[in-house]
Amino acid sequence: MSHNSIHWFRKGLRLHDNPALLAALKDCRHIYPLFLLDPWYPNNTHIGINRWRFLIEALKDLDSSLKKLNSRLFVVSGPPAEVLPKLFEKWKITRLTFEVDTEPYSQSRDKEVMKLAEENGVEVIPKISHTLYNIDRIIEENNGKPPMTYVRFLSVVNAIGSPKKPVPAPTKEDMKGVSTPFFEDHEEEFRIPTLEDLGLDTSFLGPNLFPGGEQEALRRLDEHMERTTWVCKFEKPQTSPNSIIPSTTVLSPYIRFGCLSARTFWWRLADVYRGKQHSEPPVSLHGQLLWREFFYTTAVGIPNFNRMEGNRHCVQVDWDNNPEHLAAWREARTGFPFIDAIMTQLCQEGWIHHLARHAVACFLTRGDLWISWEEGQKVFEELLLDADWSLNAGNWQWLSASAFFHQFFRVYSPIAFRKKTDKYGDYIKKYLPVLKKFPVEYIYEPWKAPRSIQERAGCVVGKDYPRPIVEHEVVHKKNIQRMKAAYAKRSPEGKDDKTTTKGIKRKAPSIMDMFEKKAKR
Ligand code: FAD
């Protein structure tokens, strides 16, 4: 039978390693590559303009690659459950393919769509390619529970074996006998919207440092893989959060939208590592991809993963409701230059280093402001180019010591934390130009500078730059006590987080321990 197939692009905005797209092309007469602008996704959250730009660029790139195969991308607006049945009928569709998406919103959407497809006599083929492994299989292998420590997680995936190899992109050969029926008015009906079409104010756009799209993702991957020594020696704690040029790959936005397949990245790393000495998980680049997989697994296995309430692995904390402090944090007005520089970079550029995320997340939650990690998660969801439901929720729980990481008495200092990687405060001066004339000794603590120095630097604290909104030395000690009280009330299930399942009790090594152990070598 010759099929009329829709391949529904959601994440997975690429041609390489796209098994669902290949499945759509099998025994196919007409292929309709489709992207839906779904008004409900991502559920109740706001997407910042920099991420919209990334998405639009990724769609344009996809359309241009499809054109090379004599095909086109069809962009349609509307809720999938309304739009798809109409398209099934209009295009006489017999097969629908897509990449599996494990987020709760996507799962319920896909369940509904699969039911509608069945009612319309449409065969559905979902394929796994967003993650390295089948996440359900990892949970199954761990006795039906998500592994709660990285060490346990590693032992489960090691038992499963290496991730599958990526599949090649479709070629003109694969497209023989397959056509996409598009017409001259394609641009009118199915075109990719502009930012203006979406009603967005482009004056808020930041510099376009990370253009979206598969071609850009593969180019960046190639560039990194050529740096074989850097790849082999890569250890996350040794990278700097405040270098002016990113010290890690910044492939995260590309992986998040699926412009780059995690499996392609994995196997390219394996090629570089072959026959050479190289770093190992958790600190290596393979290790980073496994962190991603770890949080995907916990996100699937733990109900209400992006919330404190109803999330039985999350410590229940009496966070404060303080809109003024939350706004000061979000708008880079805390009076702590390191924190404000990071939040400025996030807002303008949409990407910040992992340890910079550590610093601002710890500051917002258990470190200084005692504001819920869910509030921080929302701000990251809006501003990060790589905002990812599972990774954002998992890492916020980690940093707020609500789950996975329990050494709440170890608090980052917003002053001293990164002095050693940026002694002269160049990072701060770049993102907070108001402080650029400040002498080096005061750049992390401008409020300590004598008034005459402040005046000479053209920046008086309290007038041109805010005073610190809290006294770190006082609040962080108080917060440790509050955290101690929250931990004392923990449920037995939460306490189990520190141990592994299968009855073997092991102390969970914290990432800080692992980092520090490596750093001491
Ligand atoms: P590299 O160091 O080059 O790592 C390569 C890839 O590994 C990354 O692209 C990413 O896909 C994965 N990875 C690396 N670190 C982690 C990690 N800790 N957890 C999961 N995957 C990881 N990452 C996101 O992609 N989306 C998010 O929404 C997100 N929210 C975060 C929130 C907080 C509070 C924190 C502390 C971290 C968050 N991270 C998130 C994880 C991490 O900071 C980023 O993945 C990383 O900094 C991206 O930069 P990179 O591509 O240069 O990473």
Side-chain angles (χ1 to χ4, degrees):
M1 176 188 177
S2 274
H3 283 279
N4 286 345
S5 306
I6 287 179
H7 174 71
W8 182 13
F9 285 99
R10 299 100 65 88
K11 294 171 186 161
L13 300 178
R14 62 173 184 268
L15 299 192
H16 74 279
D17 193 27
N18 195 333
L21 177 61
L22 290 187
L25 293 174
K26 208 162 172 248
D27 303 323
C28 177
R29 187 161 46 119
H30 292 144
I31 174 85
Y32 295 87
L34 177 71
F35 184 84
L36 294 182
L37 278 170
D38 173 357
W40 301 114
Y41 183 84
N43 226 6
N44 298 330
T45 53
H46 178 70
I47 305 181
I49 189 158
N50 287 336
R51 190 145 97 253
W52 272 116
R53 172 173 62 190
F54 189 97
L55 171 64
I56 288 171
E57 287 170 345
L59 294 177
K60 282 187 183 160
D61 178 67
L62 197 56
D63 189 38
S64 108
S65 299
L66 287 164
K67 275 184 191 164
K68 290 181 193 144
L69 296 173
N70 299 323
S71 181
R72 290 300 301 264
L73 184 67
F74 294 72
V75 178
V76 180
S77 294
E82 276 174 33
V83 173
L84 283 167
K86 288 185 195 148
L87 296 179
F88 292 158
E89 203 183 311
K90 183 170 166 190
W91 292 337
K92 305 198 170 16
I93 295 301
T94 54
R95 184 196 276 156
L96 172 70
T97 66
F98 53 75
E99 181 183 66
V100 170
D101 186 336
T102 55
E103 286 180 28
Y105 167 74
S106 313
Q107 287 278 304
S108 63
R109 173 199 63 195
D110 292 350
K111 214 168 139 194
E112 192 182 1
V113 164
M114 281 161 100
K115 195 166 155 270
L116 291 167
E118 196 188 320
E119 284 164 18
N120 284 272
V122 174
E123 174 194 19
V124 180
I125 307 181
K127 293 271 186 191
I128 293 168
S129 51
H130 188 62
T131 46
L132 296 173
Y133 294 92
N134 174 348
I135 300 295
D136 290 338
R137 166 97 195 274
I138 299 176
I139 294 176
E140 219 174 272
E141 290 289 326
N142 194 48
N143 289 348
K145 288 181 183 171
M148 292 301 294
T149 69
Y150 189 80
V151 169
R152 175 73 203 150
F153 173 81
L154 276 191
S155 79
V156 177
V157 295
N158 284 342
I160 294 175
S162 298
K164 274 194 184 160
K165 291 247 166 112
V167 296
T171 58
K172 281 208 167 140
E173 193 58 31
D174 297 308
M175 293 294 284
K176 267 202 181 137
V178 186
S179 69
T180 296
F182 59 89
F183 304 99
E184 269 171 18
D185 62 356
H186 186 85
E187 286 297 319
E188 273 158 47
E189 213 182 334
F190 300 111
R191 80 188 172 98
I192 299 163
T194 61
L195 291 170
E196 288 81 4
D197 291 339
L198 296 167
L200 297 164
D201 181 351
T202 50
S203 64
F204 290 111
L205 275 173
N208 196 0
L209 302 182
F210 314 107
E214 178 182 20
Q215 295 317 308
E216 183 66 19
L218 293 172
R219 189 191 67 73
R220 285 172 181 251
L221 178 69
D222 284 345
E223 226 171 66
H224 287 303
M225 294 306 106
E226 274 165 24
R227 302 160 70 200
T228 52
T229 311
W230 181 78
V231 167
C232 289
K233 289 193 168 160
F234 184 96
E235 294 195 354
K236 193 65 159 281
Q238 254 62 294
T239 60
S240 159
N242 42 9
S243 62
I244 302 293
I245 295 169
S247 59
T248 54
T249 65
V250 197
L251 288 172
S252 52
Y254 301 93
I255 300 174
R256 183 260 175 244
F257 280 99
C259 301
L260 175 65
S261 142
R263 300 192 300 209
T264 300
F265 189 7
W266 176 276
W267 284 103
R268 288 290 300 275
L269 286 169
D271 288 344
V272 174
Y273 291 157
R274 196 161 301 118
K276 300 187 194 74
Q277 264 206 331
H278 59 85
S279 52
E280 296 283 350
V283 293
S284 61
L285 277 167
H286 263 176
Q288 304 314 305
L289 289 175
L290 291 170
W291 279 114
R292 176 177 183 267
E293 210 71 6
F294 170 74
F295 287 121
Y296 264 88
T297 310
T298 50
V300 168
I302 300 174
N304 303 314
F305 190 64
N306 67 334
R307 299 209 297 266
M308 179 178 80
E309 273 182 43
N311 175 344
R312 65 197 165 87
H313 288 277
C314 179
V315 180
Q316 304 295 303
V317 179
D318 63 338
W319 301 111
D320 287 342
N321 177 23
N322 188 332
E324 286 84 26
H325 276 182
L326 177 60
W329 176 82
R330 191 205 178 286
E331 292 158 17
R333 295 187 280 106
T334 67
F336 290 93
F338 183 50
I339 301 296
D340 293 342
I342 296 169
M343 292 307 287
T344 306
Q345 185 189 13
L346 172 64
C347 193
Q348 291 176 356
E349 299 174 5
W351 181 89
I352 49 177
H353 185 277
H354 182 59
L355 294 178
R357 298 180 200 210
H358 274 224
V360 294
C362 182
F363 183 86
L364 179 74
T365 57
R366 66 191 170 85
D368 295 80
L369 301 186
W370 199 257
I371 290 175
S372 166
W373 59 270
E374 288 179 50
E375 296 299 332
Q377 176 183 240
K378 277 186 226 158
V379 172
F380 272 26
E381 173 72 39
E382 178 191 342
L383 298 178
L384 277 174
L385 290 175
D386 62 33
D388 177 299
W389 191 88
S390 311
L391 305 190
N392 203 20
N395 277 287
W396 270 101
Q397 286 175 77
W398 184 298
L399 261 299
S400 59
S402 298
F404 311 112
F405 171 76
H406 303 286
Q407 296 174 24
F408 56 80
F409 45 87
R410 295 169 83 161
V411 173
Y412 291 111
S413 157
I415 301 152
F417 176 44
R418 288 330 284 190
K419 268 189 185 167
K420 66 173 189 280
T421 47
D422 183 23
K423 235 185 3 211
Y424 304 109
D426 292 338
Y427 174 80
I428 290 174
K429 289 179 182 174
K430 176 176 177 192
Y431 290 102
L432 302 177
V434 68
L435 294 174
K436 82 171 174 261
K437 293 196 184 133
F438 248 80
V440 171
E441 59 266 44
Y442 297 113
I443 192 78
Y444 285 85
E445 307 168 88
W447 63 92
K448 286 196 176 162
R451 175 86 185 192
S452 58
I453 290 187
Q454 297 186 25
E455 277 169 0
R456 228 175 299 137
C459 173
V460 173
V461 174
K463 182 170 143 262
D464 305 305
Y465 179 71
R467 282 182 215 291
I469 56 170
V470 287
E471 210 179 320
H472 174 72
E473 275 314 308
V474 176
V475 289
H476 92 269
K477 287 181 189 145
K478 186 177 145 209
N479 290 346
I480 288 174
Q481 294 312 314
R482 290 177 88 174
M483 210 62 187
K484 212 169 167 180
Y487 265 67
K489 287 195 225 142
R490 264 202 308 170
S491 68
E493 276 149 337
K495 283 175 186 155
D496 277 353
D497 278 9
K498 281 208 293 183
T499 59
T500 61
T501 52
K502 285 194 173 169
I504 313 157
K505 295 223 171 195
R506 270 189 235 161
K507 186 180 177 295
S510 79
I511 182 141
M512 280 193 180
D513 288 339
M514 295 192 260
F515 277 1
E516 279 171 9
K517 214 162 104 196
K518 284 268 173 185
K520 272 183 207 146
R521 280 187 193 166

